[in-house]
Amino acid sequence: MGRLRARTLIAGMVALATVGLAPAATAATGIDTRWSEPGPYAVTVEALDSAHTVYRPSRLERHPVILWGNGTGANPKTYDGLLRHLASHGFVVAAADTPNAGSGQEMLAGATTLIAENSRPGSRYEGKIDTAHIGATGHSQGGGGAIAAGADARVTTTIPIEPGPQGSATALKGPSFFLGGQFDTIVIPGLLVIPRYRLADQVPAIYGELRGATHFTPVGDGGGFRGAITAWFRFWLSGDERARAEFFGPSCGLCRDGAWSAVQRNTKALAVPGA
């Protein structure tokens, strides 16, 4: 009887352990880790013109564009890991070589150069730029610059990362993903990011607040922001349907991801079909 009871107790403990593990596995689902992992493209970094550094797939096919704006006092090398990561996922990233990209004009100049190079005979970019799909993103002042650039009809989507006060959210032309840091004491989410997200009600807009993030979390390789940024651009710029469910529909991966302390989706974002 003793052995029978022992076997019964062990079996019960195994069953309880299995029951306890199942919800944890479900709760852990969120944004797919594929987006934070390196993409399939080898990356080349070089000067685009006298005012921009380009991060691009080494073997050019036909790629969407991302315009990048640095934070105040920073340069593209400050965000080298993130920009290389985006290029590895198939984007040509034109990073403005300036610590003052808040007007958005410095970023848009990168688009102008790439569009011209796409049409210039003999250019390495000839026929390689998807001029109909251009995104803008940046950090801090560069995030404000992304909002300002997003008023340009050439920019089809934006990701302001902990953005400065530059630009008008009501002038954005395409879907926007506003990013805040839970512990950002420089660009305080509740005062400086969420109100701007709410103003962008003319486009599908989402607000995501990264748990534990400070104002300097995006520096380097983008930290915990990297996967969500990549997925957003893969969906809106590359048409990658694998990324749709990260943001849209009832099973929204971002909404269920415990790495994010707050997620809001406006009416237009809620109307975008899920996967």
Side-chain angles (χ1 to χ4, degrees), residues 244-253 255-256 265 269-275:
R244 177 187 292 273
E246 309 294 9
F247 305 101
F248 305 109
S251 61
C252 162
C255 307
R256 297 180 292 123
R265 298 186 289 174
L270 289 171
V272 176

Side-chain angles (χ1 to χ4, degrees), residues 80-104:
D80 186 75
L82 174 59
L83 304 183
R84 286 180 181 273
H85 177 80
L86 292 171
S88 81
H89 280 268
F91 301 105
V92 172
V93 183
D97 293 327
T98 176
N100 295 296
S103 74

Side-chain angles (χ1 to χ4, degrees), residues 193-215:
V193 187
I194 294 175
R196 306 190 80 192
Y197 148 75
R198 290 176 176 162
L199 285 171
D201 59 0
Q202 77 281 8
V203 295
I206 294 179
Y207 170 71
E209 181 179 286
L210 185 63
R211 189 179 302 279
T214 71
H215 192 64

Side-chain angles (χ1 to χ4, degrees), residues 1 53 57 77 90 93 133 158 160 162 191-192 195 209 234 236 239:
M1 289 293 291
T53 298
K77 288 185 178 179
V93 183
H133 292 92
T158 60
E162 300 175 326
L191 296 179
L192 300 172
E209 181 179 286
R234 283 295 304 177
W236 287 110

Side-chain angles (χ1 to χ4, degrees), residues 122-140:
S123 169
R124 66 166 54 92
Y125 296 103
E126 183 183 4
K128 305 298 186 183
I129 301 299
D130 181 356
T131 59
H133 292 92
I134 299 176
T137 186
H139 175 229
S140 197

Side-chain angles (χ1 to χ4, degrees), residues 45-93:
V45 181
E46 61 189 6
L48 174 62
D49 54 26
S50 62
H52 299 85
T53 298
V54 71
Y55 291 73
R56 63 169 176 85
S58 299
R59 184 174 180 272
L60 288 168
E61 297 166 359
R62 187 168 182 268
H63 305 277
V65 171
I66 295 174
L67 309 177
W68 173 263
N70 308 299
T72 304
N75 58 51
K77 288 185 178 179
T78 307
Y79 307 91
D80 186 75
L82 174 59
L83 304 183
R84 286 180 181 273
H85 177 80
L86 292 171
S88 81
H89 280 268
F91 301 105
V92 172
V93 183

